[in-house]
Amino acid sequence: MTHPTTTPPAAPDSPRTTRLSTVVAVVAVLAVVAVVAVGVVIASTVLGGRSDNANGSVPVEDVAELAGSWRVVNSVGAPAAVVGEVRLRFEDDRLAVETGCNVGSGTVEVDDSHLVVGPLMSTMMGCEPPLMEQETWLFAMAAARPKVELSGPYLYINWVDPQGAQRWLGLEHESAEPTS
C-alpha cells in the first residue's frame, strides 16, 4: 500500500528576502540602463556625433555640402502637390530654384543649418495657375530661412510658411553623369 506524499506548504518569504529581491531587480534595471547609455555614447562617437534626428539625417554646415542638382522626390509636407519637375541647383554661393515654370536665382549661404538666400531674380514666363502657385510657395520657402539636413543622397528642407504651418520637402541628389 502506497501512501500519498504531501509536500508541506512553503514557508512565506521573510520581509528581508522580499527587500533583497527588490534591490536586486532595481540594480539589474539600472545596469541595463547604464549599458544602453554607454552604447549610445559610443555609437554617436563612432558615427561622427552629427546625427541629432530620429531618421539619422545630419545638419548641413556649409553650402559646399549641397553642390549640384537636387530634384524633389517627396512633397507630402509641401503646401501643395508638386506639379512637374522641381529642382534646386547649388553652385558655389549661388542657388537656382527651378519651379516647373520660371527659374529664380540668387546668392545662398548656410547659417546654423539654415539656408540664407538673397533676393531671387526670376525669369518672367507666364504659366498655368498651378505652376504659378507652386512658384510662389517655392520662392517663399527659399526666403523663409529653411532648415536643411542631409541623409545619404537625400536633402530635407523644413520651413514655416506665412500662415505658420510647418512644411517640408524631400529632394534627391542628381548624378552629374548622364544616364544611358
Side-chain angles (χ1 to χ4, degrees):
M1 172 168 180
T2 58
H3 296 292
T5 59
T6 59
T7 307
D13 287 339
S14 70
R16 182 175 179 176
T17 304
T18 304
R19 273 182 273 160
L20 181 60
S21 297
T22 302
V23 168
V24 168
V26 168
V27 168
V29 168
L30 290 174
V32 169
V33 169
V35 168
V36 170
V38 168
V40 168
V41 169
I42 290 171
S44 69
T45 301
V46 169
L47 297 174
R50 288 183 63 197
S51 178
D52 66 351
N53 297 308
N55 67 1
S57 60
V58 294
V60 175
E61 296 176 0
D62 187 86
V63 74
E65 295 176 65
L66 302 174
S69 179
W70 299 84
R71 181 177 54 89
V72 172
V73 293
N74 190 336
S75 62
V76 172
V82 169
V83 180
E85 294 286 320
V86 172
R87 286 183 177 76
L88 301 182
R89 294 184 191 271
F90 295 88
E91 185 176 337
D92 299 322
D93 67 343
R94 304 287 303 170
L95 168 66
V97 180
E98 298 177 7
T99 68
C101 180
N102 289 296
V103 176
S105 63
T107 60
V108 66
E109 61 184 59
V110 173
D111 179 29
D112 193 27
S113 197
H114 291 268
L115 288 182
V116 180
V117 179
L120 293 177
M121 302 301 291
S122 175
T123 57
M124 301 294 288
M125 295 182 355
C127 304
E128 295 294 318
L131 287 173
M132 294 304 293
E133 291 168 16
Q134 178 168 283
E135 180 173 295
T136 298
W137 67 256
L138 281 165
F139 288 172
M141 177 269 303
R145 288 184 49 96
K147 183 174 184 178
V148 287
E149 298 172 322
L150 290 169
S151 181
Y154 299 101
L155 171 65
Y156 300 102
I157 300 179
N158 301 283
W159 76 100
V160 177
D161 72 14
Q163 290 75 34
Q166 292 285 332
R167 301 296 187 180
W168 67 273
L169 281 176
L171 299 92
E172 182 175 29
H173 196 259
E174 294 185 304
S175 172
E177 301 174 13
T179 57
S180 24

